[in-house]
Amino acid sequence: MAPSNALVDLRSDTVTRPSPAMREAMYRAAVGDDVYLEDPTVNELQVRAAALLGFEAALFVPTGTMGNQICLRLHAPPGSEIIVESRAHVYEWELGALAAVSGLVPRLVPSERGLPTWEAIAAAIQPNVYYRTQTALICLENTHNMHGGTVADLPEMTRILREAAARNLPVHLDGARLFNAAVTLGRTVAELAQGFSSVMVCLSKGLGAPAGSLIFGTQAFIERARVVRKMFGGGMRQAGVLAAAGLVALEEGPAYLAADHANATWLAAELANLPRLHVDITRVETNIVMCDVTQTGLTATAFCERLKPYGVLAGPASPTTVRLVTHRDAPFEACRQAVENIRRFLTDIL
Ligand SMILES: Cc1ncc(COP(=O)(O)O)c(C=O)c1O
């Protein structure tokens, strides 16, 4: 039980510390130089993860951002367009890397809950005329971070994949939190990854690893991805110490997610009952809660700053929205404490 003055960090599910089993595995990891393909633990992680997601091959990368950007680079030539949802991580939170690093042009498509309809995507595909900018890739995100951890509707996603395949358009999945989506839908990650040309999954979010993500594709795609990873500066050496934690994350991480989701649902309902906060509880499907703070008269940034002394850390997701993310290092008791502290904070400022 967290003492009342303990800091509850709900900024992100990336703040988790490695579990005792992870630290033990890191300590014991067999390692080698992964640039020479000689790290047995990295190799084991890649083989195991590829089987889990139903892909021919996987590649361990330092971050989700690098994983996404390697895939974008491989699918789309410089000067081509990629269709992305308006609030996609690859567009809003990767510092313009798709343009700066790979020379790509984002074609934004809005959506209600994070997954654009096929009609909206189809309307954004450029005509296949040589003097027009060409559409090279569609990028989807599941769960969708900025829409509040929403899970992509499976029938619509399947339809998008089918229609894109019919037009020879590759589709990349930013599945940083794909395991969360799988838990909510009661599906396997393989089912949710099926049909994508490439997938990126993070080990360092809800699964709890200290670092690392994986990208998935055909054997040929992953061989090309290894070259781009090196070009981007992501060729790590004795990375087995990190991969060892990743293997534990794949093993023990998914079991924690249902509790994270239940805590987020509870947190959202409690916050929705507090004065001047607005939470759309129908959007809380996984471990993310978006809270509109407009009525408090504070910007989201000011709200988070002023909340800090009350022992709760949260992050601004837009000028008016505060994001709270549940994770394995903030169990129910910590969430309960956070609500109490936010209640006290609101009483003081209103
Ligand atoms: C949806 C999504 N994609 C990609 C990333 C990037 O991961 P990383 O922080 O490891 O670069 C994040 C990180 O929060 C994310 O939420």
Side-chain angles (χ1 to χ4, degrees):
M1 179 163 152
S4 60
N5 59 353
L7 198 63
V8 184
D9 192 346
L10 299 175
R11 286 171 302 170
S12 176
D13 45 11
T14 56
V15 301
T16 54
R17 308 283 199 315
S19 68
M22 284 176 196
R23 289 193 186 266
E24 181 68 22
M26 294 170 84
Y27 177 70
R28 298 196 179 283
V31 295
D33 190 327
D34 183 49
V35 171
Y36 296 132
L37 312 176
E38 287 169 4
D39 189 300
T41 311
V42 170
N43 292 339
E44 184 187 340
L45 173 65
Q46 291 172 167
V47 167
R48 213 186 280 183
L52 190 62
L53 261 83
F55 273 83
E56 273 178 33
L59 186 72
F60 188 50
V61 291
T63 63
T65 299
M66 189 186 283
N68 278 335
Q69 293 301 324
I70 290 170
C71 293
L72 268 45
R73 169 65 154 247
L74 285 175
H75 288 303
S80 63
E81 284 193 4
I82 88 162
I83 295 178
V84 286
E85 202 274 339
S86 309
R87 301 216 57 202
H89 195 279
V90 294
Y91 173 67
E92 276 198 349
W93 295 87
E94 297 187 9
L95 297 98
L98 62 86
V101 178
S102 295
L104 303 179
V105 183
R107 171 72 63 174
L108 300 183
V109 176
S111 76
E112 270 297 308
R113 295 176 73 89
L115 182 71
T117 59
W118 167 250
E119 283 71 20
I121 291 173
I125 297 173
Q126 297 301 295
N128 193 3
V129 178
Y130 89 88
Y131 48 82
R132 297 285 297 267
T133 312
Q134 287 300 290
T135 306
L137 177 69
I138 298 166
C139 181
L140 305 179
E141 188 173 314
N142 193 18
T143 66
H144 198 296
N145 187 343
M146 282 299 117
H147 277 269
T150 44
V151 178
D153 177 69
L154 201 45
E156 187 62 20
M157 198 172 80
T158 308
R159 184 166 160 244
I160 293 168
L161 289 168
R162 194 180 54 239
E163 297 290 346
R167 288 159 182 78
N168 277 331
L169 264 182
V171 187
H172 170 70
L173 175 65
D174 176 348
R177 296 183 179 82
L178 192 64
F179 280 86
N180 296 79
V183 165
T184 294
L185 293 177
R187 301 280 185 152
T188 63
V189 278
E191 285 175 286
L192 302 189
Q194 198 183 357
F196 283 93
S197 315
S198 58
V199 176
M200 186 285 289
V201 167
C202 289
L203 299 167
S204 60
K205 305 222 158 41
L207 299 184
S213 297
L214 288 152
I215 53 178
F216 300 86
T218 61
Q219 191 70 45
F221 180 86
I222 292 300
E223 271 163 32
R224 291 168 63 219
R226 189 174 292 109
V227 176
V228 177
R229 181 186 67 175
K230 188 77 174 79
M231 183 206 283
F232 287 180
M236 297 183 286
R237 303 296 178 167
Q238 286 70 36
V241 286
L242 293 174
L247 279 163
V248 177
L250 284 182
E251 198 66 38
E252 67 177 24
Y256 286 87
L257 300 179
D260 293 351
H261 296 180
N263 289 340
T265 302
W266 181 85
L267 186 65
E270 292 291 315
L271 295 180
N273 278 330
L274 294 181
R276 315 269 175 101
L277 298 186
H278 178 73
V279 180
D280 181 353
I281 56 173
T282 68
R283 298 179 83 90
V284 183
E285 299 177 342
T286 56
N287 66 330
I288 299 179
V289 178
M290 293 293 192
C291 182
D292 188 306
V293 299
T294 311
Q295 302 272 303
T296 65
L298 297 175
T299 62
T301 303
F303 186 98
C304 294
E305 269 308 306
R306 290 184 56 185
L307 182 60
K308 254 192 232 170
Y310 290 78
V312 182
L313 300 184
S318 81
T320 54
T321 313
V322 169
R323 189 186 74 156
L324 302 102
V325 186
T326 57
H327 52 80
R328 62 196 280 183
D329 283 359
F332 178 73
E333 190 49 41
C335 295
R336 200 192 57 72
Q337 193 59 57
V339 169
E340 278 323 302
N341 294 357
I342 294 170
R343 192 193 311 278
R344 214 156 39 81
F345 165 65
L346 290 170
T347 308
D348 288 352
I349 64 160
L350 296 178

